[in-house]
Amino acid sequence: MNRLGPDSTFAMVAGRNARPKRWFANWEERMDAEDFGSPIFVKRAAYIVQEIASLADAIDFLSDWPEDQRDLIHQTALQACYDAEDGHKQLSAAHHAFIDFARQVAILEDPISAMQWIAACKSGARRDRLGCS
C-alpha cells in the first residue's frame, strides 16, 4: 500500500500556470509545510467569503483571477506563492503578498467578522437572513 499522498510524486499543477510540484516525504509534511498560520478571508461576491488557508488555496485563487484584471500586484503575489512552493521564499512572504494583493483589489475581509459569519451559518442560526448556502 502506498503511504504517500497523491501529490508526493513529481506531478504537474493543473491549470494555465502548470508547474512541477516539490517533493515531500509524506502527505502530512506537505500539508504542514504549506498551511498558512492564520487564514485569509476574501470576498468572492456580495455574500460569499472564501477562506484562503494554505499556499495551494492562494495559488488556486490567484490562478482563477480574471485575466483582464491581472496586474503587477497580482503577478507579484502569484510569483511569491510559486517561490514559496519551490522553497525559494518563506511561506510568510507568500502569505503577506497575498494579503497585499487582496487589500489592493479591495477583497480582503476582516477575519473576525468572517469567522463569526461562518460560525453562525454552521450553527444554523438565521441562515436565510445571513445568506448562508
Side-chain angles (χ1 to χ4, degrees), residues 75-103:
Q75 181 182 347
T76 302
L78 187 57
Q79 188 61 51
C81 290
Y82 284 147
D83 288 346
E85 182 181 49
D86 293 340
H88 300 296
K89 282 193 178 194
Q90 295 288 325
L91 185 61
S92 61
H95 187 259
H96 290 296
F98 189 88
I99 290 172
D100 291 343
F101 163 77
R103 187 176 291 124

PDB file of all heavy atoms in Angstrom, residues 75-103:
ATOM      1  N   GLN A  75       0.649  39.624 -10.250  1.00  0.00           N
ATOM      2  CA  GLN A  75       1.821  38.884 -10.697  1.00  0.00           C
ATOM      3  C   GLN A  75       2.815  38.695  -9.556  1.00  0.00           C
ATOM      4  O   GLN A  75       3.381  37.616  -9.384  1.00  0.00           O
ATOM      5  CB  GLN A  75       2.484  39.627 -11.850  1.00  0.00           C
ATOM      6  CG  GLN A  75       3.707  38.948 -12.409  1.00  0.00           C
ATOM      7  CD  GLN A  75       4.344  39.765 -13.532  1.00  0.00           C
ATOM      8  OE1 GLN A  75       3.774  40.697 -14.050  1.00  0.00           O
ATOM      9  NE2 GLN A  75       5.558  39.385 -13.881  1.00  0.00           N
ATOM     10  N   THR A  76       3.009  39.725  -8.747  1.00  0.00           N
ATOM     11  CA  THR A  76       3.933  39.659  -7.621  1.00  0.00           C
ATOM     12  C   THR A  76       3.456  38.637  -6.582  1.00  0.00           C
ATOM     13  O   THR A  76       4.254  37.842  -6.070  1.00  0.00           O
ATOM     14  CB  THR A  76       4.084  41.048  -6.976  1.00  0.00           C
ATOM     15  OG1 THR A  76       4.556  41.959  -7.972  1.00  0.00           O
ATOM     16  CG2 THR A  76       5.047  41.015  -5.809  1.00  0.00           C
ATOM     17  N   ALA A  77       2.170  38.658  -6.278  1.00  0.00           N
ATOM     18  CA  ALA A  77       1.617  37.714  -5.300  1.00  0.00           C
ATOM     19  C   ALA A  77       1.719  36.277  -5.807  1.00  0.00           C
ATOM     20  O   ALA A  77       2.118  35.371  -5.051  1.00  0.00           O
ATOM     21  CB  ALA A  77       0.166  38.068  -4.991  1.00  0.00           C
ATOM     22  N   LEU A  78       1.378  36.060  -7.059  1.00  0.00           N
ATOM     23  CA  LEU A  78       1.446  34.711  -7.623  1.00  0.00           C
ATOM     24  C   LEU A  78       2.892  34.208  -7.656  1.00  0.00           C
ATOM     25  O   LEU A  78       3.166  33.057  -7.300  1.00  0.00           O
ATOM     26  CB  LEU A  78       0.831  34.685  -9.027  1.00  0.00           C
ATOM     27  CG  LEU A  78       0.677  33.322  -9.688  1.00  0.00           C
ATOM     28  CD1 LEU A  78      -0.162  32.373  -8.829  1.00  0.00           C
ATOM     29  CD2 LEU A  78       0.054  33.474 -11.066  1.00  0.00           C
ATOM     30  N   GLN A  79       3.819  35.075  -8.036  1.00  0.00           N
ATOM     31  CA  GLN A  79       5.226  34.675  -8.064  1.00  0.00           C
ATOM     32  C   GLN A  79       5.740  34.360  -6.655  1.00  0.00           C
ATOM     33  O   GLN A  79       6.498  33.408  -6.459  1.00  0.00           O
ATOM     34  CB  GLN A  79       6.093  35.755  -8.716  1.00  0.00           C
ATOM     35  CG  GLN A  79       7.519  35.309  -8.941  1.00  0.00           C
ATOM     36  CD  GLN A  79       7.621  34.101  -9.863  1.00  0.00           C
ATOM     37  OE1 GLN A  79       7.045  34.110 -10.950  1.00  0.00           O
ATOM     38  NE2 GLN A  79       8.329  33.070  -9.441  1.00  0.00           N
ATOM     39  N   ALA A  80       5.320  35.146  -5.667  1.00  0.00           N
ATOM     40  CA  ALA A  80       5.722  34.874  -4.278  1.00  0.00           C
ATOM     41  C   ALA A  80       5.202  33.507  -3.833  1.00  0.00           C
ATOM     42  O   ALA A  80       5.913  32.761  -3.138  1.00  0.00           O
ATOM     43  CB  ALA A  80       5.209  35.973  -3.359  1.00  0.00           C
ATOM     44  N   CYS A  81       3.993  33.170  -4.239  1.00  0.00           N
ATOM     45  CA  CYS A  81       3.433  31.859  -3.897  1.00  0.00           C
ATOM     46  C   CYS A  81       4.209  30.738  -4.574  1.00  0.00           C
ATOM     47  O   CYS A  81       4.530  29.721  -3.946  1.00  0.00           O
ATOM     48  CB  CYS A  81       1.956  31.797  -4.281  1.00  0.00           C
ATOM     49  SG  CYS A  81       0.885  32.819  -3.256  1.00  0.00           S
ATOM     50  N   TYR A  82       4.520  30.909  -5.856  1.00  0.00           N
ATOM     51  CA  TYR A  82       5.311  29.894  -6.559  1.00  0.00           C
ATOM     52  C   TYR A  82       6.699  29.747  -5.937  1.00  0.00           C
ATOM     53  O   TYR A  82       7.213  28.638  -5.792  1.00  0.00           O
ATOM     54  CB  TYR A  82       5.452  30.235  -8.040  1.00  0.00           C
ATOM     55  CG  TYR A  82       4.214  29.958  -8.861  1.00  0.00           C
ATOM     56  CD1 TYR A  82       3.902  30.766  -9.944  1.00  0.00           C
ATOM     57  CD2 TYR A  82       3.379  28.885  -8.590  1.00  0.00           C
ATOM     58  CE1 TYR A  82       2.781  30.520 -10.723  1.00  0.00           C
ATOM     59  CE2 TYR A  82       2.252  28.630  -9.353  1.00  0.00           C
ATOM     60  CZ  TYR A  82       1.964  29.442 -10.428  1.00  0.00           C
ATOM     61  OH  TYR A  82       0.865  29.195 -11.199  1.00  0.00           O
ATOM     62  N   ASP A  83       7.308  30.876  -5.574  1.00  0.00           N
ATOM     63  CA  ASP A  83       8.636  30.833  -4.959  1.00  0.00           C
ATOM     64  C   ASP A  83       8.598  30.113  -3.608  1.00  0.00           C
ATOM     65  O   ASP A  83       9.519  29.367  -3.273  1.00  0.00           O
ATOM     66  CB  ASP A  83       9.210  32.239  -4.793  1.00  0.00           C
ATOM     67  CG  ASP A  83       9.631  32.864  -6.119  1.00  0.00           C
ATOM     68  OD1 ASP A  83       9.723  32.134  -7.133  1.00  0.00           O
ATOM     69  OD2 ASP A  83       9.855  34.089  -6.144  1.00  0.00           O
ATOM     70  N   ALA A  84       7.536  30.322  -2.842  1.00  0.00           N
ATOM     71  CA  ALA A  84       7.384  29.614  -1.561  1.00  0.00           C
ATOM     72  C   ALA A  84       7.159  28.129  -1.804  1.00  0.00           C
ATOM     73  O   ALA A  84       7.710  27.282  -1.098  1.00  0.00           O
ATOM     74  CB  ALA A  84       6.237  30.216  -0.761  1.00  0.00           C
ATOM     75  N   GLU A  85       6.375  27.809  -2.811  1.00  0.00           N
ATOM     76  CA  GLU A  85       6.119  26.412  -3.143  1.00  0.00           C
ATOM     77  C   GLU A  85       7.414  25.695  -3.547  1.00  0.00           C
ATOM     78  O   GLU A  85       7.631  24.536  -3.198  1.00  0.00           O
ATOM     79  CB  GLU A  85       5.101  26.327  -4.282  1.00  0.00           C
ATOM     80  CG  GLU A  85       4.730  24.916  -4.669  1.00  0.00           C
ATOM     81  CD  GLU A  85       3.740  24.856  -5.803  1.00  0.00           C
ATOM     82  OE1 GLU A  85       3.941  25.534  -6.828  1.00  0.00           O
ATOM     83  OE2 GLU A  85       2.754  24.117  -5.655  1.00  0.00           O
ATOM     84  N   ASP A  86       8.271  26.417  -4.261  1.00  0.00           N
ATOM     85  CA  ASP A  86       9.543  25.843  -4.711  1.00  0.00           C
ATOM     86  C   ASP A  86      10.623  25.872  -3.635  1.00  0.00           C
ATOM     87  O   ASP A  86      11.721  25.371  -3.835  1.00  0.00           O
ATOM     88  CB  ASP A  86      10.056  26.599  -5.944  1.00  0.00           C
ATOM     89  CG  ASP A  86       9.170  26.399  -7.164  1.00  0.00           C
ATOM     90  OD1 ASP A  86       8.401  25.421  -7.191  1.00  0.00           O
ATOM     91  OD2 ASP A  86       9.242  27.235  -8.082  1.00  0.00           O
ATOM     92  N   GLY A  87      10.323  26.511  -2.495  1.00  0.00           N
ATOM     93  CA  GLY A  87      11.283  26.577  -1.404  1.00  0.00           C
ATOM     94  C   GLY A  87      12.267  27.735  -1.509  1.00  0.00           C
ATOM     95  O   GLY A  87      13.231  27.798  -0.755  1.00  0.00           O
ATOM     96  N   HIS A  88      12.018  28.669  -2.431  1.00  0.00           N
ATOM     97  CA  HIS A  88      12.923  29.811  -2.614  1.00  0.00           C
ATOM     98  C   HIS A  88      12.563  30.994  -1.723  1.00  0.00           C
ATOM     99  O   HIS A  88      13.365  31.907  -1.571  1.00  0.00           O
ATOM    100  CB  HIS A  88      12.927  30.263  -4.082  1.00  0.00           C
ATOM    101  CG  HIS A  88      13.386  29.192  -5.017  1.00  0.00           C
ATOM    102  ND1 HIS A  88      14.662  28.673  -4.999  1.00  0.00           N
ATOM    103  CD2 HIS A  88      12.734  28.521  -5.993  1.00  0.00           C
ATOM    104  CE1 HIS A  88      14.764  27.735  -5.922  1.00  0.00           C
ATOM    105  NE2 HIS A  88      13.610  27.621  -6.539  1.00  0.00           N
ATOM    106  N   LYS A  89      11.357  30.992  -1.176  1.00  0.00           N
ATOM    107  CA  LYS A  89      10.910  32.054  -0.266  1.00  0.00           C
ATOM    108  C   LYS A  89      10.221  31.413   0.920  1.00  0.00           C
ATOM    109  O   LYS A  89       9.727  30.288   0.839  1.00  0.00           O
ATOM    110  CB  LYS A  89       9.912  32.996  -0.951  1.00  0.00           C
ATOM    111  CG  LYS A  89      10.533  33.986  -1.872  1.00  0.00           C
ATOM    112  CD  LYS A  89       9.536  35.061  -2.249  1.00  0.00           C
ATOM    113  CE  LYS A  89      10.272  36.052  -3.152  1.00  0.00           C
ATOM    114  NZ  LYS A  89       9.557  37.268  -3.321  1.00  0.00           N
ATOM    115  N   GLN A  90      10.186  32.158   2.000  1.00  0.00           N
ATOM    116  CA  GLN A  90       9.444  31.713   3.180  1.00  0.00           C
ATOM    117  C   GLN A  90       7.945  31.730   2.883  1.00  0.00           C
ATOM    118  O   GLN A  90       7.465  32.561   2.109  1.00  0.00           O
ATOM    119  CB  GLN A  90       9.729  32.643   4.360  1.00  0.00           C
ATOM    120  CG  GLN A  90      11.156  32.625   4.831  1.00  0.00           C
ATOM    121  CD  GLN A  90      11.485  31.322   5.546  1.00  0.00           C
ATOM    122  OE1 GLN A  90      10.651  30.738   6.229  1.00  0.00           O
ATOM    123  NE2 GLN A  90      12.709  30.869   5.375  1.00  0.00           N
ATOM    124  N   LEU A  91       7.217  30.837   3.533  1.00  0.00           N
ATOM    125  CA  LEU A  91       5.764  30.803   3.391  1.00  0.00           C
ATOM    126  C   LEU A  91       5.146  32.130   3.829  1.00  0.00           C
ATOM    127  O   LEU A  91       4.176  32.601   3.234  1.00  0.00           O
ATOM    128  CB  LEU A  91       5.191  29.651   4.217  1.00  0.00           C
ATOM    129  CG  LEU A  91       3.695  29.396   4.106  1.00  0.00           C
ATOM    130  CD1 LEU A  91       3.309  29.050   2.675  1.00  0.00           C
ATOM    131  CD2 LEU A  91       3.298  28.274   5.044  1.00  0.00           C
ATOM    132  N   SER A  92       5.739  32.761   4.823  1.00  0.00           N
ATOM    133  CA  SER A  92       5.211  34.042   5.307  1.00  0.00           C
ATOM    134  C   SER A  92       5.278  35.122   4.229  1.00  0.00           C
ATOM    135  O   SER A  92       4.417  36.006   4.181  1.00  0.00           O
ATOM    136  CB  SER A  92       5.962  34.500   6.561  1.00  0.00           C
ATOM    137  OG  SER A  92       7.335  34.690   6.276  1.00  0.00           O
ATOM    138  N   ALA A  93       6.255  35.064   3.342  1.00  0.00           N
ATOM    139  CA  ALA A  93       6.347  36.038   2.247  1.00  0.00           C
ATOM    140  C   ALA A  93       5.167  35.880   1.291  1.00  0.00           C
ATOM    141  O   ALA A  93       4.580  36.881   0.845  1.00  0.00           O
ATOM    142  CB  ALA A  93       7.662  35.876   1.495  1.00  0.00           C
ATOM    143  N   ALA A  94       4.791  34.647   1.004  1.00  0.00           N
ATOM    144  CA  ALA A  94       3.627  34.392   0.147  1.00  0.00           C
ATOM    145  C   ALA A  94       2.351  34.844   0.848  1.00  0.00           C
ATOM    146  O   ALA A  94       1.462  35.433   0.227  1.00  0.00           O
ATOM    147  CB  ALA A  94       3.547  32.915  -0.209  1.00  0.00           C
ATOM    148  N   HIS A  95       2.247  34.560   2.140  1.00  0.00           N
ATOM    149  CA  HIS A  95       1.090  34.963   2.937  1.00  0.00           C
ATOM    150  C   HIS A  95       0.916  36.477   2.889  1.00  0.00           C
ATOM    151  O   HIS A  95      -0.173  36.985   2.606  1.00  0.00           O
ATOM    152  CB  HIS A  95       1.289  34.468   4.374  1.00  0.00           C
ATOM    153  CG  HIS A  95       0.114  34.648   5.272  1.00  0.00           C
ATOM    154  ND1 HIS A  95       0.041  35.672   6.178  1.00  0.00           N
ATOM    155  CD2 HIS A  95      -1.014  33.922   5.412  1.00  0.00           C
ATOM    156  CE1 HIS A  95      -1.099  35.575   6.847  1.00  0.00           C
ATOM    157  NE2 HIS A  95      -1.756  34.519   6.403  1.00  0.00           N
ATOM    158  N   HIS A  96       2.002  37.210   3.123  1.00  0.00           N
ATOM    159  CA  HIS A  96       1.944  38.678   3.110  1.00  0.00           C
ATOM    160  C   HIS A  96       1.666  39.220   1.707  1.00  0.00           C
ATOM    161  O   HIS A  96       0.918  40.189   1.559  1.00  0.00           O
ATOM    162  CB  HIS A  96       3.228  39.278   3.670  1.00  0.00           C
ATOM    163  CG  HIS A  96       3.387  39.060   5.129  1.00  0.00           C
ATOM    164  ND1 HIS A  96       2.533  39.587   6.074  1.00  0.00           N
ATOM    165  CD2 HIS A  96       4.306  38.334   5.822  1.00  0.00           C
ATOM    166  CE1 HIS A  96       2.914  39.208   7.286  1.00  0.00           C
ATOM    167  NE2 HIS A  96       3.982  38.445   7.154  1.00  0.00           N
ATOM    168  N   ALA A  97       2.237  38.590   0.691  1.00  0.00           N
ATOM    169  CA  ALA A  97       1.997  39.030  -0.691  1.00  0.00           C
ATOM    170  C   ALA A  97       0.525  38.849  -1.062  1.00  0.00           C
ATOM    171  O   ALA A  97      -0.065  39.707  -1.729  1.00  0.00           O
ATOM    172  CB  ALA A  97       2.893  38.266  -1.657  1.00  0.00           C
ATOM    173  N   PHE A  98      -0.074  37.732  -0.610  1.00  0.00           N
ATOM    174  CA  PHE A  98      -1.488  37.508  -0.905  1.00  0.00           C
ATOM    175  C   PHE A  98      -2.346  38.541  -0.177  1.00  0.00           C
ATOM    176  O   PHE A  98      -3.296  39.074  -0.754  1.00  0.00           O
ATOM    177  CB  PHE A  98      -1.924  36.090  -0.532  1.00  0.00           C
ATOM    178  CG  PHE A  98      -3.306  35.785  -1.015  1.00  0.00           C
ATOM    179  CD1 PHE A  98      -3.517  35.268  -2.277  1.00  0.00           C
ATOM    180  CD2 PHE A  98      -4.415  36.057  -0.221  1.00  0.00           C
ATOM    181  CE1 PHE A  98      -4.813  35.022  -2.746  1.00  0.00           C
ATOM    182  CE2 PHE A  98      -5.699  35.816  -0.662  1.00  0.00           C
ATOM    183  CZ  PHE A  98      -5.902  35.292  -1.934  1.00  0.00           C
ATOM    184  N   ILE A  99      -2.016  38.828   1.068  1.00  0.00           N
ATOM    185  CA  ILE A  99      -2.762  39.857   1.816  1.00  0.00           C
ATOM    186  C   ILE A  99      -2.652  41.208   1.121  1.00  0.00           C
ATOM    187  O   ILE A  99      -3.653  41.922   0.970  1.00  0.00           O
ATOM    188  CB  ILE A  99      -2.270  39.943   3.275  1.00  0.00           C
ATOM    189  CG1 ILE A  99      -2.694  38.702   4.053  1.00  0.00           C
ATOM    190  CG2 ILE A  99      -2.789  41.211   3.963  1.00  0.00           C
ATOM    191  CD1 ILE A  99      -2.106  38.594   5.441  1.00  0.00           C
ATOM    192  N   ASP A 100      -1.450  41.563   0.677  1.00  0.00           N
ATOM    193  CA  ASP A 100      -1.269  42.832  -0.039  1.00  0.00           C
ATOM    194  C   ASP A 100      -2.112  42.879  -1.305  1.00  0.00           C
ATOM    195  O   ASP A 100      -2.740  43.895  -1.615  1.00  0.00           O
ATOM    196  CB  ASP A 100       0.203  43.050  -0.396  1.00  0.00           C
ATOM    197  CG  ASP A 100       1.061  43.322   0.826  1.00  0.00           C
ATOM    198  OD1 ASP A 100       0.508  43.658   1.902  1.00  0.00           O
ATOM    199  OD2 ASP A 100       2.297  43.201   0.702  1.00  0.00           O
ATOM    200  N   PHE A 101      -2.144  41.769  -2.042  1.00  0.00           N
ATOM    201  CA  PHE A 101      -2.975  41.687  -3.244  1.00  0.00           C
ATOM    202  C   PHE A 101      -4.447  41.883  -2.898  1.00  0.00           C
ATOM    203  O   PHE A 101      -5.138  42.701  -3.515  1.00  0.00           O
ATOM    204  CB  PHE A 101      -2.774  40.338  -3.943  1.00  0.00           C
ATOM    205  CG  PHE A 101      -3.846  40.007  -4.930  1.00  0.00           C
ATOM    206  CD1 PHE A 101      -3.867  40.610  -6.183  1.00  0.00           C
ATOM    207  CD2 PHE A 101      -4.855  39.110  -4.613  1.00  0.00           C
ATOM    208  CE1 PHE A 101      -4.872  40.319  -7.096  1.00  0.00           C
ATOM    209  CE2 PHE A 101      -5.860  38.812  -5.510  1.00  0.00           C
ATOM    210  CZ  PHE A 101      -5.871  39.426  -6.758  1.00  0.00           C
ATOM    211  N   ALA A 102      -4.924  41.129  -1.905  1.00  0.00           N
ATOM    212  CA  ALA A 102      -6.342  41.206  -1.522  1.00  0.00           C
ATOM    213  C   ALA A 102      -6.717  42.600  -1.040  1.00  0.00           C
ATOM    214  O   ALA A 102      -7.795  43.111  -1.360  1.00  0.00           O
ATOM    215  CB  ALA A 102      -6.644  40.166  -0.443  1.00  0.00           C
ATOM    216  N   ARG A 103      -5.839  43.220  -0.297  1.00  0.00           N
ATOM    217  CA  ARG A 103      -6.087  44.588   0.175  1.00  0.00           C
ATOM    218  C   ARG A 103      -6.141  45.563  -1.009  1.00  0.00           C
ATOM    219  O   ARG A 103      -7.020  46.415  -1.093  1.00  0.00           O
ATOM    220  CB  ARG A 103      -5.016  45.000   1.173  1.00  0.00           C
ATOM    221  CG  ARG A 103      -5.282  46.344   1.835  1.00  0.00           C
ATOM    222  CD  ARG A 103      -4.231  46.678   2.896  1.00  0.00           C
ATOM    223  NE  ARG A 103      -4.376  45.785   4.043  1.00  0.00           N
ATOM    224  CZ  ARG A 103      -3.408  45.009   4.522  1.00  0.00           C
ATOM    225  NH1 ARG A 103      -2.210  45.006   3.969  1.00  0.00           N
ATOM    226  NH2 ARG A 103      -3.627  44.239   5.561  1.00  0.00           N
TER     227      ARG A 103
END
